[in-house]
Amino acid sequence: MAESVTIALRGRIDSTNAEQTENEILEQLSGKDGAAVVIDASSLEYISSIGLRILLRLKKAHPRMTVTEVCSEIYDILQMTGFTEILTVKKAYRVVSVEGCEVIGEGSNGRVYRIDNDNVVKTYKNADALSEIRHEREMARLALVLGVPTAISYDVVKVGDSYGTVFELLDARSFAGIIAEEPERIDWCVKEYVELLKKLHSTEVADGELPDIKKAYLTAVRNILPMLPAESGEKLLCMVEAIPDSKTLVHGDCHTKNIVLAGDEVLLIDMDTLSVGHPIFELAQMYNSYVGFGEYHPEVIARYQGFSADVARDFWNRTLRAYLNTSDDAAALTEKKIRCIAYIRLIDWSTRHHDMTDADDRATRELWVRELLSLLDEVDSPDFDVQGEDAPDAREIEVTAAVENLPEVTAFVEEALSGISCGYKTQMQIGIAVEEIFVNIAQYAYAPSTGTVRVRAELSDSPLALTITFTDSGVPYDPLAKPDPDVTLSAEERRIGGLGIFMTKKAMDEVAYRFEDGKNIFTMKKIL
């Protein structure tokens, strides 16, 4: 059997040390042709396109090469550039214990635990949760791009027999915890809650980006029709079909355990239920969280929310009045419409989760059916009317366009991010993009002479974003005009290089180039 050689990569591999790193690797492999090479990446913290070139050259020389213990941030880089298709890459998952940790949030698919002062982890009920994690991260990213304040996880970990996602949420407390521990702040919670709901329900989404929650409710209505008199069932189905279609956001599980105060910022978490649709579907889910689930057994609310059913009902009433900006009487009328929709989900949920052999389960569902039938005698339509830029923080530096000045530019960008809650993965993506663009300017803009480059960093709100602009007076060159490399090619078919701009486009949310007044101007933006 051929010899196996393990090579450990540590720290950073970038434009300042790539040549030395490659020489060290080649020295370790000297005289070991045909060996099975194992790259131990457990201590690798950063890799740019120049480092990927080293891996590609090694793969060409050693076809059986494996890269192991890759952290999630590096794995994302390898996946983005197609290296996970041409290399055997084994991801490393940290093991995290939540034993004894405070539960600060809870949704239909999992719980959120505080694991230390700065970080929380969401655990999943499904043991094979990696696909759920990918979906939720995509939803959270979309919400953030649309301006909804949320958190995007920066790591995937093992928690017991399942997985978890880690978020940086400094001193985060759920609204459920605030209401339970500081009842005098209930009006403040209502105000922030309603502002968040209004933001959601006024944010439009492009066709096809998110599921339509109305379709889920129509399916639920059809599931419960056998439990209703034919005339009532037909009326209910027609009512749901008549709810106006909408392309605005609906969270789908927006209760006080999924809203957290992190520092002085209010964030919405647990984004896997994100949909589009009429706000009545959101309010129906909220009614169930505060009232509906506890109508037969009020202690269910206390067990789930952490405060009593009476407090939950009071919070719901205040929230509905504030959301509708109306009187108690008008809110009570709208609540009847909301409850019609809420009971659809409750009855369908009980049918799918209980076999009705338990007397309490049967009695609970019978109560919900009675309430729904009573409301259908009073309500004809569920529709109702929903009533209802800061200057950027900018800074600049100007440096000689030389590779040795990369650390100064990197430090400048990191300083621009200081004081901003920004996950490690995002920092790495920004760092890679900065390196790729700056080094490209340093090597080609003024060759064979030299010149300067001005770097501008701007922080803006709504949504929070960092925009970096590189300006040089070198040879006109649009790096975005170059076609993307084919990352599906095998190692043998690939040419060395050509990944820098591709990685930049993948790492950042927006990139643009223009030539103006004799200057190359390259701008890139990252939603934070």
Side-chain angles (χ1 to χ4, degrees):
M1 180 178 289
E3 180 184 3
S4 176
V5 180
T6 299
I7 297 173
L9 300 181
R10 296 184 175 85
R12 298 171 59 94
I13 301 179
D14 58 27
S15 301
T16 65
N17 67 354
E19 183 177 357
Q20 177 185 345
T21 299
E22 186 168 17
N23 288 337
E24 291 172 353
I25 293 172
L26 294 177
E27 185 177 339
Q28 293 180 66
L29 292 175
S30 177
K32 297 177 181 177
D33 294 343
V37 177
V38 178
I39 302 295
D40 177 1
S42 57
S43 297
L44 183 63
E45 300 171 358
Y46 176 99
I47 189 168
S48 61
S49 64
I50 198 166
L52 296 182
R53 296 177 202 173
I54 297 173
L55 293 182
L56 185 55
R57 282 192 284 265
L58 287 174
K59 171 66 175 177
K60 289 176 180 287
H62 301 272
R64 293 186 296 139
M65 185 177 80
T66 301
V67 185
T68 66
E69 296 299 307
V70 179
C71 72
S72 59
E73 293 81 12
I74 300 295
Y75 185 89
D76 286 345
I77 296 298
L78 297 176
Q79 186 177 51
M80 174 179 70
T81 54
F83 271 64
T84 53
E85 301 300 320
I86 61 174
L87 295 174
T88 300
V89 181
K90 298 180 180 179
K91 194 172 184 180
Y93 293 104
R94 279 195 301 133
V95 177
V96 170
S97 172
V98 295
E99 185 176 354
C101 294
E102 172 194 6
V103 177
I104 67 165
E106 186 164 1
S108 56
N109 296 325
R111 289 180 176 174
V112 180
Y113 295 86
R114 169 155 297 290
I115 52 177
D116 57 39
N117 187 57
D118 294 336
N119 300 282
V120 302
V121 61
K122 177 181 176 181
T123 62
Y124 292 77
K125 296 175 183 178
N126 178 13
D128 186 21
L130 290 177
S131 60
E132 290 181 45
I133 290 172
R134 283 193 296 271
H135 171 74
E136 182 167 355
R137 294 174 90 175
E138 290 170 3
M139 295 300 96
R141 181 171 180 78
L142 173 61
L144 196 62
V145 169
L146 292 171
V148 178
T150 188
I152 297 180
S153 68
Y154 68 85
D155 197 9
V156 179
V157 296
K158 284 286 290 182
V159 184
D161 294 330
S162 186
Y163 295 89
T165 51
V166 184
F167 302 80
E168 186 177 30
L169 291 177
L170 179 65
D171 291 329
R173 299 176 64 200
S174 70
F175 272 32
I178 293 173
I179 293 169
E181 297 163 15
E182 303 176 65
E184 69 277 6
R185 298 185 68 185
I186 191 170
D187 285 331
W188 177 86
C189 289
V190 168
K191 173 180 174 294
E192 296 292 333
Y193 193 9
V194 169
E195 286 183 5
L196 189 57
L197 288 168
K198 293 286 190 178
K199 173 64 181 176
L200 278 169
H201 301 161
S202 63
T203 301
E204 292 194 359
V205 182
D207 287 346
E209 288 205 59
L210 289 173
D212 188 340
I213 197 171
K214 179 177 173 178
K215 293 181 180 178
Y217 269 84
L218 285 170
T219 298
V221 171
R222 296 185 179 100
N223 289 344
I224 71 172
L225 286 179
M227 285 164 268
L228 306 176
E231 185 177 348
S232 298
E234 183 63 27
K235 179 178 181 179
L236 181 63
L237 181 58
C238 290
M239 285 174 58
V240 176
E241 288 176 337
I243 294 174
D245 294 327
S246 174
K247 298 301 180 184
T248 54
L249 284 176
V250 174
H251 181 268
D253 201 18
C254 192
H255 55 76
T256 54
K257 279 200 168 181
N258 279 336
I259 304 173
V260 300
L261 178 64
D264 58 359
E265 186 177 13
V266 176
L267 301 174
L268 185 59
I269 62 173
D270 210 12
M271 305 301 285
D272 55 311
T273 52
L274 202 65
S275 308
V276 293
H278 192 281
I280 194 170
F281 296 113
E282 186 91 84
L283 297 171
Q285 294 286 82
M286 289 164 52
Y287 176 84
N288 289 340
S289 296
Y290 302 122
V291 183
F293 274 111
E295 283 182 320
Y296 189 81
H297 282 302
E299 63 271 17
V300 169
I301 300 296
R303 190 163 60 244
Y304 186 71
Q305 293 290 349
F307 44 77
S308 73
D310 288 340
V311 171
R313 163 54 93 169
D314 179 45
F315 182 73
W316 160 250
N317 288 340
R318 291 172 188 243
T319 299
L320 185 60
R321 288 198 306 270
Y323 180 85
L324 298 173
N325 191 25
T326 191
S327 65
D328 288 354
D329 290 343
L333 178 61
T334 301
E335 185 187 68
K336 290 183 179 180
K337 300 180 178 185
I338 293 168
R339 289 173 64 204
C340 280
I341 307 304
Y343 287 124
I344 295 170
R345 180 54 63 92
L346 290 175
I347 298 167
D348 178 55
W349 176 85
S350 69
T351 301
R352 289 184 291 106
H353 289 83
H354 301 291
D355 61 10
M356 295 298 114
T357 57
D358 181 82
D360 269 2
D361 290 339
R362 286 198 308 274
T364 300
R365 189 172 74 178
E366 288 167 3
L367 169 65
W368 291 335
V369 171
R370 287 196 306 271
E371 292 292 327
L372 175 58
L373 293 176
S374 175
L375 287 165
L376 286 173
D377 291 335
E378 302 179 52
V379 175
D380 292 320
S381 169
D383 193 21
F384 65 92
D385 290 330
V386 181
Q387 299 175 356
E389 166 178 30
D390 296 328
D393 172 17
R395 61 194 77 190
E396 288 185 3
I397 61 167
E398 187 167 346
V399 298
T400 299
V403 173
E404 56 264 29
N405 288 331
L406 174 62
E408 182 180 353
V409 175
T410 301
F412 164 75
V413 174
E414 290 174 352
E415 175 63 24
L417 285 169
S418 63
I420 300 297
S421 179
C422 181
Y424 179 69
K425 177 183 174 181
T426 299
Q427 293 179 45
M428 175 183 287
Q429 291 173 327
I430 293 170
I432 286 171
V434 167
E435 176 182 344
E436 301 298 346
I437 299 304
F438 180 77
V439 169
N440 190 63
I441 294 170
Q443 291 179 335
Y444 304 112
Y446 297 101
S449 58
T450 189
T452 62
V453 56
R454 189 170 71 251
V455 185
R456 178 181 176 87
E458 300 179 17
L459 283 172
S460 57
D461 295 324
S462 301
L464 182 61
L466 175 69
T467 300
I468 304 170
T469 303
F470 295 86
T471 304
D472 69 76
S473 301
V475 178
Y477 175 64
D478 179 5
L480 300 179
K482 186 177 181 180
D484 290 342
D486 186 349
V487 297
T488 65
L489 294 177
S490 67
E492 292 73 22
E493 297 173 301
R494 285 205 186 194
R495 69 180 186 85
I496 305 299
L499 287 171
I501 296 300
F502 176 74
M503 291 174 67
T504 299
K505 290 194 287 186
K506 289 293 185 180
M508 305 300 280
D509 294 297
E510 297 176 19
V511 292
Y513 167 83
R514 69 184 189 276
F515 186 76
E516 186 177 284
D517 298 329
K519 293 180 173 58
N520 293 296
I521 304 172
F522 188 93
T523 303
M524 54 191 189
K525 183 176 182 179
K526 184 71 175 177
I527 305 296
L528 304 176

